[in-house]
Amino acid sequence: MTAAVAGCAGPATAQEVTLRLVAAEYGDSAGNSSKKYWDELVEKYEADHPDVRVQVSVYSWNDVDRKVKEMVAAGKAPDMAQIGSYAEYAARNQLYETGQLLSIPVQADFLPQLGDSGKVRRIAYGMPFAASTRVLFYNKKLFADAGITDTPQTWNDLAEDAAALKANGVKTPFALPLGPEEAQAETMQWLLSGGAGYTDGVGSYKLDSDANIETFTWLKDELVAKGLTGSTEPAKLNRADAFAAFSRGEVGMLNGHPTLMEAAAKQGVEFGMVPLPGRDGAARANLGVADWMMAFKQNGNRQAIGEFLDFVYSEKNVLAFSREYDLLPVTTSASEAMSAGKSDADLTPFLDELPQAELPPVGKKSWAEVSAAVKERIGKAVSENGNPEAVLEGLQQMAVSAESADQ
């Protein structure tokens, strides 16, 4: 979907600046399309800045990263892009540093863990634009029907609850989407709950750590092999399909983000939300996910870009976007406002997770390649004849190779 946002009437002047922004689509209908959000925001900005026009092109998530890549390769980079990753462009010295664009108060307002994740070699290039965390959703009716009175606090609790749900005829006691759509996020959620992650304490890839191997061995032996993850193999189950099944009342538990709330509520599913338990109690950390804004240097509109982005990241605009799409604010001021607002109470479990959230290693240029490999291979680790250790060792070798190639 492409939207050229109209500016103020009248002929252009020699001093007029036109900024071009490529943005991702967060809506699911014409009524809540991202086009509508950007139309309204740009109209307000241009009313106070008659010498600036902002043209916004909105594409689906299936296309937006590719569109920007093609534009850059053709020598026609947009002034700004709001997409899924920034590290590749930063590594090629194609982006402005955040400090060259935003005012100091706006820079300082980013939530620390999100702002830090926008850095490559300790310099910020990626500006967080939208964030979410993951929590464990459970179907209250299915739990009650199976005689489950408490939410799981440990992995063993989760497996026991899943077994009770299966015994009571639940189609999918625990949905484990390790299909190619978003397996990298589900994987990281489990790695964190097992006490590790994609990287070690100094930021080097460590996919084949003992803790990670133990995590996927447990998933294979205690959930998948016992038939607790439903009839669809995890390697073939995508997140969207798992969410749809939960919304139909067919799934007892799964990891989900805020958009699942509305989808499930629309179909009358009464659900609860708790943190995903760790091996023996609370997880070491929880998964955080962010989408990014970046600014390309090619057209040289640094000052105009910075002034526009200061407006984009005002508390009012960050709140408006977050509320429209059930996402978490990326700034401290908007987060505090949302936490205090009664109308935002449904998002409290996710907001509570954000301060302790850990993001994937998005600052590594190699992450795009590693993420793609995880999506392709990780489901095999829990398959009937799968070998978690071998799969994770293979991914580790690939990650080290990709990292070395980027040095």
Side-chain angles (χ1 to χ4, degrees):
M1 181 184 301
T2 303
V5 182
C8 302
T13 66
Q15 293 76 33
E16 189 172 87
V17 175
T18 297
L19 300 177
R20 293 176 174 83
L21 164 65
V22 174
E25 176 61 83
Y26 288 85
D28 56 11
S29 67
N32 72 343
S33 169
S34 293
K35 172 189 179 300
K36 182 179 178 182
Y37 171 81
W38 286 110
D39 279 356
E40 294 174 355
L41 184 144
V42 167
E43 182 179 4
K44 293 175 184 176
Y45 186 76
E46 289 181 344
D48 291 331
H49 299 79
D51 57 339
V52 178
R53 302 192 193 284
V54 184
Q55 296 178 351
V56 183
S57 299
V58 178
Y59 297 96
S60 76
W61 275 110
N62 293 329
D63 301 321
V64 68
D65 288 274
R66 175 179 55 83
K67 287 285 187 181
V68 172
K69 193 169 187 176
E70 291 173 352
M71 293 170 73
V72 173
K76 298 178 180 179
D79 295 284
M80 296 163 284
Q82 185 270 298
I83 52 178
S85 61
Y86 64 87
E88 177 182 359
Y89 304 115
R92 293 175 181 168
N93 196 32
Q94 294 172 319
L95 302 180
Y96 285 116
E97 297 175 18
T98 299
Q100 295 175 308
L101 298 167
L102 302 178
S103 64
I104 292 175
V106 172
Q107 291 180 64
D109 199 24
F110 286 131
L111 290 166
Q113 71 274 34
L114 298 181
D116 288 344
S117 292
K119 295 179 180 179
V120 173
R121 297 184 178 90
R122 296 184 294 280
I123 297 175
Y125 296 94
M127 293 159 274
F129 184 76
S132 70
T133 56
R134 301 291 193 271
V135 298
L136 179 69
F137 282 71
Y138 65 95
N139 184 310
K140 288 185 175 182
K141 183 179 186 301
L142 296 182
F143 263 48
D145 290 347
I148 304 171
T149 57
D150 295 318
T151 56
Q153 304 298 310
T154 66
W155 284 0
N156 285 340
D157 293 343
L158 188 148
E160 289 174 3
D161 291 346
L165 290 165
K166 181 183 179 183
N168 202 49
V170 174
K171 200 170 183 179
T172 305
F174 188 95
L176 185 65
L178 295 177
E181 180 190 359
E182 205 185 28
Q184 85 289 354
E186 184 75 15
T187 296
M188 184 167 176
Q189 180 85 339
W190 280 101
L191 298 184
L192 292 173
S193 75
Y198 284 120
T199 57
D200 59 20
V202 295
S204 299
Y205 285 115
K206 195 60 179 172
L207 283 88
D208 61 347
S209 68
D210 290 344
N212 289 345
I213 293 170
E214 290 171 7
T215 293
F216 268 81
T217 299
W218 185 89
L219 286 172
K220 179 178 184 293
D221 294 345
E222 302 301 325
L223 292 185
V224 182
K226 293 182 178 180
L228 302 179
T229 54
S231 58
T232 302
E233 293 179 43
K236 297 179 180 179
L237 181 63
N238 282 326
R239 175 194 57 81
D241 296 327
F243 279 20
F246 184 85
S247 299
R248 293 193 299 267
E250 300 170 0
V251 173
M253 296 177 281
L254 84 172
N255 293 319
H257 53 62
T259 59
L260 181 56
M261 295 189 299
E262 183 177 358
K266 279 183 178 178
Q267 297 197 47
V269 173
E270 188 177 358
F271 57 87
M273 300 179 291
V274 294
L276 176 68
R279 191 185 306 273
D280 300 309
R284 176 184 70 80
N286 51 74
L287 172 66
V289 178
D291 302 325
W292 302 94
M293 178 74 76
M294 63 213 68
F296 288 89
K297 296 192 290 187
Q298 179 179 317
N299 301 317
N301 293 321
R302 181 183 64 81
Q303 182 174 343
I305 293 170
E307 291 173 356
F308 176 67
L309 290 178
D310 270 359
F311 178 74
V312 169
Y313 283 106
S314 68
E315 178 183 324
K316 179 180 179 181
N317 289 328
V318 171
L319 273 175
F321 180 85
S322 301
R323 285 169 171 160
E324 179 66 33
Y325 300 107
D326 284 332
L327 292 165
L328 304 183
V330 297
T331 62
T332 300
S333 60
S335 292
E336 290 175 349
M338 182 172 279
S339 296
K342 292 182 179 179
S343 62
D344 302 307
D346 287 347
L347 287 170
T348 297
F350 300 95
L351 287 167
D352 290 344
E353 296 278 287
L354 195 54
Q356 293 81 37
E358 185 172 311
L359 276 71
V362 292
K364 292 178 177 290
K365 182 183 174 184
S366 58
W367 171 240
E369 186 177 350
V370 174
S371 176
V374 171
K375 292 179 183 181
E376 179 183 354
R377 304 184 198 178
I378 197 62
K380 299 173 185 176
V382 298
S383 63
E384 184 177 357
N385 298 313
N387 184 326
E389 183 174 3
V391 170
L392 289 167
E393 285 179 348
L395 285 169
Q396 173 66 14
Q397 292 172 7
M398 175 267 157
V400 170
S401 177
E403 183 82 339
S404 298
D406 293 338
Q407 300 301 318

